[in-house]
Amino acid sequence: MKKIRLINKVALSLFFAASLVMTSCDDLLQVDPRQSIDASGALNTPDAVDAAINSVYARLRPVSNYGRDLLALSDALADVGQTTSNSGRLIGENNNQPNAHFGAGLWQNSYFAINEANLILDGLSNVQGASPAQLARWEGEAKFLRALYYFDLVKVYSYIPTAIYQPGVIDEGGIPLVLEGVITSDAAFNRKSSRATIPAVYDQIYADLESAKTLLTSRGTQFASSGAASALLSRVALYRGDWAKSVAESTAALASAVGSVQSGTGYVNGWKTDINPESMFEVRFSIAGESIGVNESLQSTYSTLLNLTNKNSQGGWGDFIPNARVRGFFGLTPLLVGGSATDNNNYDVTRNDDIRGFLYTTGNTVRGAGRQIESIKFLSKNGFAYGDNIPVIRKSEMHLNRAEANYQLNNAADALAELNAFKGLRGLQPVDLTGQALLDEILLERFKEFAFEGHRFFDLKRHGKDIVKTTPNVLLPFDDFKFLPPIPQREVDGNPNLNQNRGY
């Protein structure tokens, strides 16, 4: 492919420079044509900017990001579940084997999106005919999305500020911070950024989200909003150990009109609607053509069911199911409710008083592992298979963020009250705990609440805890190099300033 084609036809998704050294021209041009524009089109009209913003949102959908890996793969790395071997997927990750971790797709797709956001921000001053409200929205959404992509990258590829393994390590750091967009091959090839420090990355995420809070209103949970920016900032601050900030932003997010905390059957039923009422920000799959498909979608990864109407209908692979500990949280055991034992529709599960048990049921026998207990948080709730909207931030998280941050601030009474109020939402009795037992209980509620949503691995990581599993039999100490994934080797090979994580 000639260089002139690269310059004239590279879409706005041209990503971080180091990626280009070992990437084919075809890879650079793999952009959804409905949601991107040519560089030659320029970002000088409102329609062009809207198209560019849509592309940044769309890049949250792939398997490498929220389509699967940031939820299912991270939970497989943690102690949430076990693999069935139905398709062979996620087995290496569940066994915490070397190089079985987040892959190159997360890095490359995220930097594509960051470059798109940078180009939008760089070009806003040249947009003709835009109102002040449009300019504010575009800037706010681009900054929110850039912050989200950077946060996902830094929490995956780097240690988390509250628990950094240091002894003998000289090459660990944050991730490259790139804040200017590129649209030519020369600029891309010549920019070889090093890893910024972890504090510098968090500073940039803070700056983007603080700005987004002031610029955004709300136009639906599939878009960035001021409330969602506060909610994400509460999570970022929790990871950073900025406890007072986490409390303040959780409080602001809870006070916002975006999303609503659900309880009882309302909470369970929320998982059956296309837009979860708890969502403050979610990745949207609008049409069946955007569905990820039967092999790697969240629905297929978690369940063999096509829907709950007929459990005998063949659906996904059910590759990743709750382990004994998670089943014990909710009192889950298979239950024949009547009729023929060969009919999958005649099976459900036993449950305890925790309302979250209704987010699990038995699958079917169409795959090799046979009938298993499965998570049904993602099960054709959009009206078509394998393309459920994905809650990135739910409002209930704000209660747990605030409880944990208050504990760390020695506001034990507030932490306990928040925890017990949250337990009440899920049908559980209050507890009376102090000290480490209180923190452990808060983290346990996080485990229960966000099983199969991708939080557990990062909660273990930010607390410096070992990963302990019985099925499979794994003990991964926090100081093991496999807590971090390798930076994609072609990025390191093409950028002498980019240090690889230790052990790879």
Side-chain angles (χ1 to χ4, degrees):
M1 184 178 293
K2 295 181 179 179
K3 184 175 179 181
I4 187 67
R5 184 180 174 191
L6 272 172
I7 294 176
N8 290 336
K9 295 294 293 179
V10 169
L12 288 173
S13 54
L14 186 62
F15 61 81
F16 176 56
S19 302
L20 301 182
V21 177
M22 299 296 291
T23 304
S24 71
C25 295
D26 289 339
D27 288 340
L28 294 179
L29 299 173
Q30 289 177 354
V31 183
D32 184 349
R34 296 187 305 106
Q35 305 207 16
S36 60
I37 60 173
D38 285 344
S40 59
L43 289 173
N44 57 11
T45 69
D47 286 346
V49 180
D50 276 333
I53 285 281
N54 286 341
S55 181
V56 188
Y57 281 110
R59 288 193 175 277
L60 295 169
R61 287 202 301 262
V63 169
S64 61
N65 291 62
Y66 285 96
R68 188 195 70 174
D69 286 359
L70 283 168
L71 283 77
L73 189 150
S74 63
D75 271 1
L77 291 169
D79 54 357
V80 175
Q82 61 196 64
T83 52
T84 60
S85 300
N86 281 338
S87 77
R89 297 182 184 91
L90 299 181
I91 293 176
E93 291 86 353
N94 200 215
N95 283 279
N96 298 95
Q97 295 173 348
N99 291 300
H101 214 298
F102 284 92
L106 175 68
W107 180 280
Q108 292 157 4
N109 182 64
S110 297
Y111 275 113
F112 260 112
I114 288 167
N115 190 69
E116 289 179 317
N118 288 340
L119 288 170
I120 292 165
L121 292 167
D122 292 345
L124 287 181
S125 61
N126 299 318
V127 180
Q128 301 170 8
S131 69
Q134 284 177 306
L135 291 169
R137 174 173 67 80
W138 293 327
E139 181 182 353
E141 290 186 9
K143 287 182 174 179
F144 174 90
L145 290 166
R146 183 169 68 178
L148 178 60
Y149 282 108
Y150 269 131
F151 181 57
D152 288 337
L153 285 167
V154 76
K155 75 182 185 184
V156 167
Y157 287 99
S158 304
Y159 287 110
I160 294 172
T162 53
I164 297 178
Y165 175 71
Q166 295 283 13
V169 177
I170 59 172
D171 60 344
E172 244 72 88
I175 54 172
L177 274 177
V178 183
L179 302 177
E180 294 180 355
V182 295
I183 57 173
T184 69
S185 56
D186 286 343
F189 276 106
N190 291 329
R191 189 169 66 185
K192 295 179 171 62
S193 300
S194 60
R195 298 175 72 160
T197 65
I198 293 172
V201 179
Y202 277 79
D203 283 345
Q204 181 59 48
I205 294 168
Y206 267 38
D208 277 346
L209 292 176
E210 290 287 2
S211 181
K213 282 166 49 182
T214 67
L215 293 164
L216 294 171
T217 55
S218 176
R219 60 186 186 116
T221 56
Q222 71 269 34
F223 301 106
S225 65
S226 180
S230 283
L232 180 55
L233 193 48
S234 86
R235 185 189 296 177
V236 175
L238 193 74
Y239 278 50
R240 196 175 197 180
D242 190 351
W243 314 121
K245 181 70 170 173
S246 186
V247 168
E249 296 300 336
S250 297
T251 301
L254 285 167
S256 79
V258 182
S260 60
V261 176
Q262 301 291 301
S263 64
T265 56
Y267 172 75
V268 175
N269 291 336
W271 285 100
K272 299 175 183 177
T273 61
D274 56 347
I275 298 176
N276 191 316
E278 285 214 340
S279 288
M280 301 195 73
F281 178 69
E282 65 180 32
V283 176
R284 186 155 194 188
F285 291 76
S286 299
I287 58 174
E290 293 172 345
S291 106
I292 289 176
V294 70
N295 288 326
E296 296 180 301
S297 66
L298 285 173
Q299 176 182 345
S300 187
T301 299
Y302 292 156
S303 180
T304 55
L305 300 176
L306 185 62
N307 52 56
L308 290 174
T309 304
N310 181 6
K311 286 188 173 183
N312 293 311
S313 297
Q314 180 170 321
W317 289 95
D319 287 320
F320 187 63
I321 60 175
N323 60 20
R325 188 179 182 196
V326 172
R327 297 195 302 269
F329 289 158
F330 310 113
L332 306 176
T333 59
L335 176 66
L336 179 63
V337 296
S340 170
T342 61
D343 187 344
N344 293 298
N345 290 305
N346 293 331
Y347 282 86
D348 194 8
V349 293
T350 61
R351 300 179 179 90
N352 59 24
D353 292 336
D354 193 321
I355 197 70
R356 292 169 292 200
F358 284 94
L359 298 175
Y360 301 85
T361 191
T362 49
N364 58 38
T365 54
V366 301
R367 302 296 184 185
R371 187 184 299 108
Q372 302 288 335
I373 295 174
E374 302 171 345
S375 169
I376 54 171
K377 286 185 173 180
F378 302 93
L379 199 65
S380 299
K381 59 188 179 182
N382 277 18
F384 52 87
Y386 316 123
D388 283 359
N389 289 354
I390 301 162
V392 176
I393 310 169
R394 290 196 289 110
K395 205 157 191 175
S396 284
E397 181 192 343
M398 301 302 103
H399 286 300
L400 292 169
N401 288 358
R402 194 163 63 179
E404 183 178 344
N406 266 320
Y407 171 86
Q408 299 289 359
L409 289 168
N410 294 316
N411 299 330
D414 290 340
L416 181 62
E418 189 103 48
L419 172 63
N420 282 330
F422 180 80
K423 281 179 171 288
L425 296 173
R426 301 297 177 254
L428 301 177
Q429 294 300 309
V431 295
D432 186 10
L433 301 170
T434 59
Q436 184 64 40
L438 174 56
L439 177 60
D440 291 344
E441 190 70 15
I442 294 169
L443 296 179
L444 181 61
E445 282 305 316
R446 289 185 68 92
F447 191 171
K448 295 176 184 178
E449 180 71 12
F450 298 115
F452 297 90
E453 294 181 65
H455 288 240
R456 177 64 174 172
F457 174 71
F458 301 107
D459 284 345
L460 292 169
K461 185 177 177 182
R462 66 188 177 86
H463 281 276
K465 292 182 177 290
D466 301 344
I467 296 175
V468 182
K469 311 177 192 181
T470 55
T471 306
N473 186 14
V474 171
L475 171 57
L476 186 71
F478 176 69
D479 61 2
D480 193 293
F481 75 93
K482 294 189 293 294
F483 252 87
L484 300 184
I487 292 174
Q489 193 57 46
R490 69 181 184 181
E491 317 297 335
V492 177
D493 290 344
N495 182 355
N497 300 321
L498 186 62
N499 293 321
Q500 180 60 277
N501 282 328
R502 66 189 175 100
Y504 299 104

